[in-house]
């Protein structure tokens, strides 16, 4: 008699309780610093599979402080809910001329988020992100959302600083950027160890996102710096230039994924 296991991901047990990630829906809410960028397009085919599209030269780097939940239980045991990540988004033009976003690089500090991301086609790796929080009080340590407030963010990967950003709020209304402004395509590809000489065939999907809510976005002036790294390939995007920035809060629910 076959035993039914309830695990959505490993570890696979009958109860499924210890699975790294339960099945969707996955609910996310977080504080985001968004830095719009322009980038070099000469290495497009090294970053984006030619069958998917080509770089347009636009993009965004998001620094995010998230909490996520399934049925609410993670919110009262927040070690399972909270994580921070740095997300590199590039705009691509599809063969049919339509514009989408694509995520070539992303780093996170929680295994649950890493697996959720890989299932959605977001190529998550471990990295350490820190970003200034804005708190709802008028105090020098609170980085209040008003003209002149200064904020910063850093990403460290394998104990090497990779990205650093600084923002100064302008007091003007901001706008959404990156994955907050357009759909983002994910690339799914799992290797088969019975055929170790072959790279996986890639499939393109779109996360099925519902219940998207945001706060007002607050405009900022930004600088961004990418440092050399022996492994990470963000340098394929060339020298990044800032084209705008904003900060605010967002919430989304992922209920699954759709084929592109």
């Amino acid at each position: 008699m076959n035993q039914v296991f309830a695990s959505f991901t490993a570890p696979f047990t009958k109860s499924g309780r210890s699975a790294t990630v339960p099945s969707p829906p996955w609910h996310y809410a977080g504080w985001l610093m968004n830095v719009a960028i322009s980038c070099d397009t000469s290495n497009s085919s090294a970053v984006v599979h030619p069958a998917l599209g080509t770089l347009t030269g636009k993009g965004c780097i998001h620094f995010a402080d998230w909490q996520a939940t399934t049925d609410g239980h993670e919110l009262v045991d927040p070690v399972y809910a909270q994580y921070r990540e740095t997300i590199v988004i590039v705009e691509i033009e599809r063969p049919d001329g339509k514009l989408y976003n694509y995520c070539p690089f992303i780093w996170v500090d929680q295994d649950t988020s890493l697996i959720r991301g890989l299932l959605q086609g977001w190529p998550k790796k471990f990295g350490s992100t820190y970003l200034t929080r804005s708190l709802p009080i008028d105090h020098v340590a609170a980085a209040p959302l008003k003209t002149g407030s200064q904020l910063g963010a850093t990403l460290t990967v394998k104990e090497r600083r990779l990205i650093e950003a600084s923002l100064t709020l302008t007091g003007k209304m901001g706008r959404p950027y990156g994955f907050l402004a357009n759909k983002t395509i994910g690339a799914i590809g799992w290797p088969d160890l019975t055929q170790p000489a072959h790279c996986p065939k890639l499939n393109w999907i779109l996360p099925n996102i519902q219940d998207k809510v945001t706060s007002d976005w607050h405009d900022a002036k930004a600088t961004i710096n990418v440092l050399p790294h022996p492994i990470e390939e963000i340098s394929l995007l060339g020298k990044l230039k800032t084209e705008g920035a904003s900060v605010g809060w967002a919430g989304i629910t992922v209920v699954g994924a759709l084929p592109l």
Side-chain angles (χ1 to χ4, degrees), residues 32-38 58-63 66 87-91 101 122 167 170 172-184 212 214-222 241-250:
L32 293 106
M33 296 172 54
N34 318 300
V35 181
I37 58 167
S38 59
K58 298 179 180 179
C60 182
I61 296 182
H62 302 279
F63 303 93
W66 293 108
I87 311 164
V88 178
I89 294 292
V90 291
E91 184 183 71
N101 288 323
W122 296 64
L167 284 75
T170 67
K172 300 176 182 178
M173 182 72 72
R175 52 174 289 194
Y177 294 104
F179 79 87
L180 300 162
N182 196 9
K183 293 180 179 180
T184 302
K212 181 179 177 181
T214 68
S215 69
D216 292 334
W217 296 105
H218 299 263
D219 182 69
K221 294 182 179 179
K241 298 179 181 178
T242 58
E243 302 294 343
S246 65
V247 301
W249 292 267

Side-chain angles (χ1 to χ4, degrees), residues 53 69 127 136 163 175:
T69 187
I163 304 175
R175 52 174 289 194

Side-chain angles (χ1 to χ4, degrees), residues 175-237:
R175 52 174 289 194
Y177 294 104
F179 79 87
L180 300 162
N182 196 9
K183 293 180 179 180
T184 302
I185 297 170
I188 301 289
W190 295 99
D192 180 356
L193 285 183
T194 67
Q195 302 181 63
H198 299 281
C199 292
K201 181 180 181 298
L202 297 181
N203 295 309
W204 321 118
I205 64 169
L206 287 169
N208 187 359
I209 295 174
Q210 299 180 4
D211 300 328
K212 181 179 177 181
V213 297
T214 68
S215 69
D216 292 334
W217 296 105
H218 299 263
D219 182 69
K221 294 182 179 179
T223 62
I224 199 155
N225 185 33
V226 177
L227 288 77
H229 196 282
I231 297 295
E232 304 304 329
E233 295 187 89
I234 189 173
S235 60
L236 288 171
L237 299 176

Side-chain angles (χ1 to χ4, degrees), residues 140-160:
V140 65
L145 295 176
K146 64 181 183 181
T147 305
S149 284
Q150 295 183 309
L151 306 92
T154 60
L155 167 70
T156 301
V157 181
K158 299 298 184 185
E159 300 184 356
R160 296 173 172 92

Side-chain angles (χ1 to χ4, degrees), residues 111-123:
D111 59 350
T112 52
S113 175
L114 185 145
I115 298 300
R116 281 195 306 255
L118 294 178
L119 291 171
Q120 297 174 75
W122 296 64

Side-chain angles (χ1 to χ4, degrees), residues 134-139 142-145 249:
S134 179
L135 305 176
I137 54 175
D138 189 9
H139 188 272
L145 295 176
W249 292 267

